[in-house]
Amino acid sequence: MNFLATIKLVIKNLLARKGRSLLTILGIVIGVAGVIIIIALGAGAQSLILGEVTKLGSNLLYIEPTKNKDTGAPLPGVIITTLTTADEAALRSASQVPHALAVNAGVQGSAVISWGNKSVDTTFSGTDYTYPQVVNFTMQTGQFFDQREDQGAANVVVLGSKVATELFGDSGLNPIGQVIKVKSSIAPKAGGVPLRVIGVIASRGSSFFQDQDDMIFLPLAIGQEQILGIHYLQGIYIKVDDAANVDQTINDVTSVLKQQHRIQKDTDIDFAVRNQADAVKILSTITNALSLFLIAMAAISLVVGGIGILNIMMVTVGERTREIGLRKAVGATSAVIRNQFLLEASFLTGLGGLAGIVIGVIISFLVSLLMKNLGYDWAFVISWVSIVLSVGVSVLTGILFGLLPAFKAAKLNPIEALRYE
Amino acid sequence: MSLISVKNLKKDYESDGVVTSVLHDLSFEIKTGEFVAIMGPSGSGKSTLMHILSFLDRPTGGVYEFEGKNITGFNDKYLAQLRNERVGFVFQSFNLLPRTTVLDNVKLPLLYSNKKNHDGLARKALDSVGLSHRLEYYTNQISGGEKQRVAIARALVCDPAVIFADEPTGNLDSKSGNTVMYILQQLNNQGRTVILVTHETDTANHAKRIIRIKDGNLLSDEPVKTRTIATPDQELIK
């Protein structure tokens, strides 16, 4: 019996049991669709994150204090006080870091702000006058504080658009010139630090998963000394004039800070200079790990689907015992019977795989549409790897779980099979 | 040369170390063109004998020569080929494939052969049992007698040397049974060897020769004295 005839026979048999065939492959369909959707969503999320990172500009360096070079970002609760405003001043020196367009230092914290009887929980950023040079944004009204206000530690504040609406939206008043109070960690019982609103930043969405509209910006010295009561910095941004000079600038920054901190050995370095590529790498590692975990979950459903096929094929062999006996009586060899049932199982899983691909691609596409409608920069990506992987696994499952019933069928004694009731 | 020749044929079954002997020392010959009935009560070993003669089972002793060749040494694959090409089966319970048309049922043995023109051969076989008008019927849409005629067409389709009919009338009413016996006699008249297994004397009398078996031994082997000739069914003549 040739291969083509066997395939024809297999298709005929499966069509004769449409309902059952459909139910049998459901597990495989779900598994394959799951793998494809998860991989597509992972790729979409990654593109979203990459977009977020590059929004900040690829020429941006970030310096953060560390215990030593290898520990990475500080753990929550671990306070490292080694980065100071003196470091910032040194980095501003054009002779030492020639390619730095702007140097911006900052501290951050949660803040409770109030105006009149209104009170809002938000995040404050203590930053310096160079902030507009490092980050792109437009003012809705008023302006950002200038060098004089910054260095004079003037009691001024710039609001994110959401904060402005929450505080002043009801009153209809122009926020400019109003005085708000920011609760201080040094004197929590006191009324708070009074700050005059001098500008509102136009809505710009979130960046690095922080809602930039739900923030307030105030001079660094105010944030350090009057609100947090600290003298160190949490981080320094440096904008490099050209992408080609990023590596050079990292070296410059490192030597300046080593000198500042009087560090001899590289192992004692107590800061980290990160660029966007590092950030992308870290985020990719996280999303990849997450994707792998989810793919493993989907793979489990593939295995469960395979067991479903095993189960149905076993039942089918039982039900068709007489048919198998008859086929053997009229000349089918054991090998032919075995191949027939193996092909049936492979066909079922192959079909399930195909259906899974179609459903997976459609759902991934719908999700990407939805995310785009929600304003996210979400790419619709279907990788060949996901298709090859899921179909390969599903057909392999079919063959693997088809083997047992196929050999059971092939081994049947035709005399007993014909008598089987 | 004989079509079938058995000498000292034995069949023992072993189960849990207990050996049950089903056939002892059977010897006989069947020539091409014969119509032989193998008779015996249930448990006599007649079915086992038929299974061995039709290559579904192997003897545990003695010699079985088919068309001059000793089949004892042949492998399973070759026996499957012999079943496909040299013998046809008619079973008591028809054994047709469900959810399958009459035509496709008759084509079944051709699937496992090297023959070409499956459709033509199957139509010809169905024509010879008077079922040309039922080709596209499903097997659950036809009567018992028609089912057995489909089974005979299936047995004929590969042009076998011998047809084995195991209680072919057992599940049929007398009229349908008569038609089946008529077809078998016609096939024999055309030169086809027919071996009929039955426990009913009335059915066995349609054959030309009766081999009686009891408890695995040959009881008698003699020609039929007054042979029953089945009358053709009106439906078949027209």
Side-chain angles (χ1 to χ4, degrees), chain A residues 224-300:
Chain A
Q224 279 182 312
E225 285 153 25
Q226 299 192 35
I227 297 176
L228 289 174
I230 60 174
H231 299 285
Y232 55 90
L233 297 173
Q234 288 169 344
I236 300 175
Y237 281 103
I238 294 183
K239 186 152 188 175
V240 183
D241 55 2
D242 193 281
N245 297 325
V246 164
D247 286 342
Q248 172 65 44
T249 308
I250 291 176
N251 285 338
D252 293 344
V253 166
T254 306
S255 66
V256 167
L257 289 181
K258 270 168 84 175
Q259 213 174 349
Q260 284 283 323
H261 295 185
R262 297 190 174 77
I263 286 163
Q264 313 288 329
K265 289 184 296 179
D266 274 2
T267 47
D268 292 335
I269 286 179
D270 57 356
F271 57 87
V273 184
R274 305 192 192 283
N275 62 15
Q276 298 307 314
D278 287 341
V280 170
K281 216 156 60 188
I282 291 167
L283 287 168
S284 298
T285 312
I286 295 168
T287 49
N288 283 344
L290 205 69
S291 291
L292 269 179
F293 169 71
L294 290 171
I295 289 167
M297 305 274 284
I300 290 173

Side-chain angles (χ1 to χ4, degrees), chain B residues 38-87:
Chain B
I38 298 174
M39 268 199 80
S42 75
S44 59
K46 62 182 190 300
S47 288
T48 303
L49 177 61
M50 192 206 81
H51 291 146
I52 291 172
L53 294 182
S54 59
F55 317 115
L56 284 168
D57 207 350
R58 291 167 184 274
T60 45
V63 176
Y64 171 25
E65 282 180 4
F66 184 80
E67 295 181 322
K69 280 174 270 183
N70 186 348
I71 66 123
T72 324
F74 291 150
N75 62 18
D76 287 348
K77 202 176 164 194
Y78 189 75
L79 291 185
Q81 193 187 336
L82 277 179
R83 290 199 295 273
N84 181 247
E85 293 174 356
R86 304 310 294 154
V87 305

